[in-house]
Amino acid sequence: MKRIRLRVAYDGTNYSGWQIQPNAPTIEKKLDEAIYALTGENVHVTGASRTDAGVHALGNVAVFDTASSIPADKFTYALNRYLPEDIIIQQSDEVEFDFHPRHCDTRKTYCYSILNTEFGLPKKRNYTWNVPGNIDISKMQEAAEYLVGEHDFKSFCCVRTQTETTVRKIYSLDVDRKGDEILITVTGNGFLYNMVRIIAGTLIQVGKGKFNPEYVKEMLDAKDRTQAGQTAPPQGLTLMKIEYL
């Protein structure tokens, strides 16, 4: 037996998220099916980030155990033959059996994309959140600075979040404009359920003038979801990479 690690990229548009659900297409289910088609083994992959419906990834990580004689680095090519075109394995290698993608020290980077045009563009509808009107990105960046560092992010996660602690550390949080798109890029040691989407929604409301930048500190201190901003829709979010420390 050996443990194989996969780096997976996918377009989440047609899926009900990562995690297997009854009677719904998910990334996890497609990977399990591909492994069965290749090896004949009923295995279950374990993912590093259980992304929501409609969320995309360039570098999610998953592991599975197999008795197959296929070399670890060849699973990339072999599995891609059995996967749909919107899920592609980017890399495969062998790891120790005690490696767990969610129980290691990591740096995760997400990017949220906003299309700042009066009307949306059909080809970008599944990959951006269309927000028309004036958006002050300098105020967004000012607000973002309050979120950098180690904080209790209870105000910035779904009330249904089940976790031992809501304390997380954000290493960097940047707001940039590239043409008609505003990109919010955040790197941290982990993220709570809906945390990045709530941060994005809150920063957009700062940029639109609903909140003053300094009010974000009060949101953090409140530890109350009702005090933070809206939850941005899923399609603008992409998991860019996961770095293992």
Side-chain angles (χ1 to χ4, degrees):
M1 293 289 288
K2 56 191 173 187
R3 178 160 293 184
I4 303 298
R5 175 172 58 183
L6 307 174
R7 183 163 59 88
V8 190
Y10 50 85
D11 179 334
T13 302
N14 296 320
Y15 297 94
S16 297
W18 173 274
Q19 201 164 7
I20 284 180
Q21 300 177 33
N23 304 314
T26 66
I27 307 297
E28 197 173 54
K29 184 176 181 180
K30 290 294 184 183
L31 290 171
D32 287 355
E33 290 174 349
I35 294 167
Y36 178 77
L38 175 65
T39 68
E41 297 171 310
N42 280 304
V43 302
H44 180 60
V45 300
T46 299
S49 183
R50 291 168 285 191
T51 51
D52 291 338
V55 174
H56 317 290
L58 297 183
N60 205 346
V61 172
V63 298
F64 68 96
D65 295 337
T66 178
S68 171
S69 61
I70 298 171
D73 62 332
K74 300 302 182 186
F75 273 96
T76 304
Y77 305 95
L79 285 175
N80 281 336
R81 292 163 44 205
Y82 296 97
L83 287 167
E85 61 183 3
D86 51 7
I87 305 174
I88 299 292
I89 308 298
Q90 300 292 308
Q91 184 180 13
S92 60
D93 60 0
E94 185 173 356
V95 292
E96 298 295 330
F97 279 105
D98 61 357
F99 176 84
H100 191 291
R102 291 200 300 275
H103 299 162
C104 298
D105 291 334
T106 62
R107 291 169 64 101
K108 294 181 179 178
T109 299
Y110 284 87
C111 182
Y112 195 93
S113 301
I114 297 105
L115 181 64
N116 183 209
T117 57
E118 189 63 27
F119 302 103
L121 294 173
K123 73 173 184 177
K124 292 190 176 184
R125 71 190 186 282
N126 293 325
Y127 311 105
T128 60
W129 175 25
N130 180 223
V131 181
N134 183 58
I135 299 174
D136 189 332
I137 65 168
S138 64
K139 287 186 176 179
M140 291 175 66
Q141 185 61 60
E142 183 182 345
E145 295 302 322
Y146 291 103
L147 300 174
V148 175
E150 186 171 86
H151 305 286
D152 187 334
F153 284 95
K154 189 172 183 179
S155 294
F156 290 85
C157 67
C158 175
V159 294
R160 300 190 306 275
T161 297
Q162 296 179 341
T163 183
E164 292 182 4
T165 176
T166 49
V167 174
R168 295 293 187 272
K169 186 173 184 178
I170 289 182
Y171 299 110
S172 63
L173 178 52
D174 298 308
V175 182
D176 300 293
R177 179 182 285 278
K178 293 187 176 180
D180 289 331
E181 289 192 34
I182 297 170
L183 305 177
I184 300 170
T185 306
V186 56
T187 298
N189 66 352
F191 295 94
L192 302 162
Y193 185 49
N194 278 354
M195 179 174 160
V196 179
R197 289 168 57 192
I198 294 168
I199 288 173
T202 300
L203 291 181
I204 279 294
Q205 288 180 293
V206 170
K208 297 287 284 183
K210 181 173 182 179
F211 302 126
N212 291 323
E214 58 271 19
Y215 185 57
V216 170
K217 185 179 185 305
E218 294 183 36
M219 294 178 185
L220 276 174
D221 294 339
K223 300 179 179 62
D224 179 354
R225 172 66 189 97
T226 64
Q227 297 303 302
Q230 70 188 102
T231 303
Q235 73 273 9
L237 185 61
T238 300
L239 171 58
M240 305 299 288
K241 62 181 177 179
I242 301 175
E243 302 167 276
Y244 287 89
L245 306 178

